[in-house]
């Protein structure tokens, strides 16, 4: 049985649902942005002169995914304290929009 199925009497599981929503929303925004940027990687990005310490291309996906998950956890923690209609959530929304852009 999935934690999304039916009524749930476990308060810990119910409390984690907003965290899952924050993570999913943030990762969807990140994946949506990558749809637009990924075609540019083999063209102009590959032809840039990179410094010797530049990481290989395969590192970027796990690092960005980790960053987006951490942003979602931070937003969830701020939401628990400040609520939905707060300057913290507005800043989170603006930050997601800028990351997407």
């Amino acid at each position: 049985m999935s934690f999304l199925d039916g009524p749930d009497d476990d308060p810990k599981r119910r409390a984690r649902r907003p965290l899952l929503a924050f993570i999913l929303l943030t990762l969807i925004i990140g994946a949506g942005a990558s749809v637009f940027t990924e075609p540019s990687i083999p063209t102009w990005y590959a032809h840039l002169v990179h410094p010797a310490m530049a990481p290989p291309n395969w590192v970027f996906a796990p690092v960005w995914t980790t960053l987006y998950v951490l942003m979602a956890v931070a937003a969830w923690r701020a939401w628990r304290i400040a609520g939905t209609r707060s300057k913290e959530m507005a800043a989170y929304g603006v930050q997601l929009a800028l990351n997407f852009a």
Side-chain angles (χ1 to χ4, degrees), residues 18-80:
L19 173 60
L20 177 63
F22 273 100
I23 291 173
L24 286 175
L25 172 70
T26 307
L27 289 177
I28 287 169
I29 297 283
S34 72
V35 167
F36 296 108
T37 58
E38 195 273 331
S40 301
I41 293 172
T43 57
W44 72 269
Y45 181 76
H47 299 310
L48 293 176
V49 177
H50 298 285
M53 62 184 233
N57 287 343
W58 65 266
V59 172
F60 288 97
V63 168
W64 276 104
T65 302
T66 303
L67 288 173
Y68 271 79
V69 169
L70 291 173
M71 290 186 308
V73 171
W76 169 70
R77 291 182 65 174
W79 168 79
R80 286 182 23 202

